[in-house]
């Protein structure tokens, strides 16, 4: 099993997904025959197996494996990591709204609640937008590049989910939600530290601040730090 697991990881690193799926199937077939394996290792093997199913286009089978694992999750990291893959899988199959809704569910679990109504989302957007403008009153835009790296594990996971949500949100044409997710990503960087995952949010905010404030100079500067992040 150890040999197959290492082969799975090597296959994933080398984008040899079909081989990885074969190795993962072999590892799964041995699980019932070996009793001295830790629960954590079994979880990891099944997770890799599900990932390879998704990566090779076996979406329904991968979904079943991940749903089973979600019932076994013991912490938020596992829960978010599994759903991060599912969000991308749903979007890749043009199930855009399902992808967005799942992402919003995960954010709630992580302590980030997004209102359901357009009016409430708009209100929260302007609140978050205002926080960024307030920061800009006492800082240059490129000061965002000088922030200390983000250290909080949960906040890093929040940024991972936010970054994964941006594309399906664009495709679903939910403009208010897109602006809100963009601003939340940036305000959390201001609060918790910098992370490269915020680069796309900076690029989107460049468009946002030009559209709302006609602030072309700040738009250019946000575009520049998006490239540098």
């Amino acid at each position: 099993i150890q040999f197959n697991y290492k082969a799975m990881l090597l296959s994933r690193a080398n984008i040899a997904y079909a081989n990885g799926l074969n190795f993962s199937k072999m590892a799964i077939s041995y699980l019932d025959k070996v009793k001295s394996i830790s629960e954590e290792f079994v979880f990891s093997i099944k997770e890799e197996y599900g990932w390879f199913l998704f990566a090779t286009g076996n979406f329904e089978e991968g979904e079943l494996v991940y749903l089973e694992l979600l019932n076994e999750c013991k912490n938020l990291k596992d829960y978010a990591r599994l759903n991060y893959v599912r969000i991308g899988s749903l979007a890749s199959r043009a199930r855009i709204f399902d992808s967005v809704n799942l992402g919003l569910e995960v954010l709630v679990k992580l302590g980030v609640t997004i209102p359901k109504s357009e009016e409430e989302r708009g209100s929260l957007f302007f609140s978050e937008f205002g926080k960024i403008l307030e920061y800009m009153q006492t800082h240059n835009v490129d000061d965002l590049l000088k922030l200390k790296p983000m250290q909080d594990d949960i906040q890093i996971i929040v940024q991972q989910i936010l970054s994964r949500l941006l594309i399906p949100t664009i495709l679903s044409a939910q403009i208010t939600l897109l602006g809100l997710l963009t601003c939340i990503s940036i305000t959390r960087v201001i609060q918790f530290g910098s992370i490269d995952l915020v680069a796309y949010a900076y690029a989107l905010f460049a468009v946002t601040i030009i559209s709302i404030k006609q602030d072309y100079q700040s738009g250019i500067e946000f575009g520049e730090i998006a490239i540098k992040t």
Side-chain angles (χ1 to χ4, degrees), residues 1-5 8 20-34 37 41-53 61 65-66 68-69 72:
I1 293 179
Q2 287 280 2
F3 171 81
N4 281 293
Y5 184 69
M8 289 157 59
L21 180 59
N22 289 331
F23 285 123
S24 63
K25 286 180 177 178
M26 284 189 280
I28 291 289
S29 69
Y30 289 129
L31 290 180
D32 292 334
K33 302 173 184 177
V34 181
I37 307 177
F41 189 40
V42 171
F43 189 97
S44 295
I45 291 172
K46 290 181 178 179
E47 182 177 352
E48 288 296 321
Y49 172 51
W51 190 91
F52 281 116
L53 286 169
E61 292 177 66
V65 172
Y66 268 37
E68 178 185 338
L69 290 174
E72 301 173 10

Side-chain angles (χ1 to χ4, degrees), residues 97-168:
F97 285 95
D98 289 337
S99 176
V100 172
N101 290 334
L102 176 58
L104 297 181
E105 288 178 19
V106 176
L107 287 176
V108 170
K109 290 276 191 180
L110 295 169
V112 183
T113 301
I114 306 297
K116 293 185 178 181
S117 76
E118 191 74 4
E119 182 178 351
E120 290 177 311
R121 286 178 178 178
S123 177
L124 185 55
F125 161 73
F126 280 108
S127 174
E128 295 293 311
F129 183 75
K131 292 176 184 177
I132 300 171
L133 296 183
E134 184 178 349
Y135 175 85
M136 291 170 61
Q137 289 177 359
T138 55
H139 298 80
N140 295 322
V141 171
D142 63 4
D143 285 339
L144 289 166
L145 297 175
K146 303 172 186 176
L147 294 171
K148 293 181 179 179
M150 188 175 290
Q151 300 292 336
D152 187 290
D153 289 344
I154 296 300
Q155 295 307 319
I156 291 173
I157 295 170
V158 167
Q159 290 291 344
Q160 290 171 342
I161 299 301
L162 286 169
S163 67
R164 173 134 290 196
L165 266 177
L166 292 177
I167 293 297

Side-chain angles (χ1 to χ4, degrees), residues 153-217:
D153 289 344
I154 296 300
Q155 295 307 319
I156 291 173
I157 295 170
V158 167
Q159 290 291 344
Q160 290 171 342
I161 299 301
L162 286 169
S163 67
R164 173 134 290 196
L165 266 177
L166 292 177
I167 293 297
T169 303
I170 291 173
L171 294 175
S172 68
Q174 299 183 74
I175 304 304
T176 304
L177 178 59
L178 176 64
L180 176 55
L181 296 176
T182 297
C183 289
I184 287 176
S185 182
I186 296 173
T187 56
R188 284 183 173 256
V189 161
I190 293 170
Q191 184 177 359
F192 297 105
S194 184
I195 188 169
D196 57 1
L197 291 167
V198 77
Y200 195 32
Y202 287 153
L204 289 171
F205 190 79
V207 178
T208 303
I209 198 167
I210 291 173
S211 299
I212 295 178
K213 301 285 289 184
Q214 287 76 55
D215 186 347
Y216 293 93
Q217 182 57 40

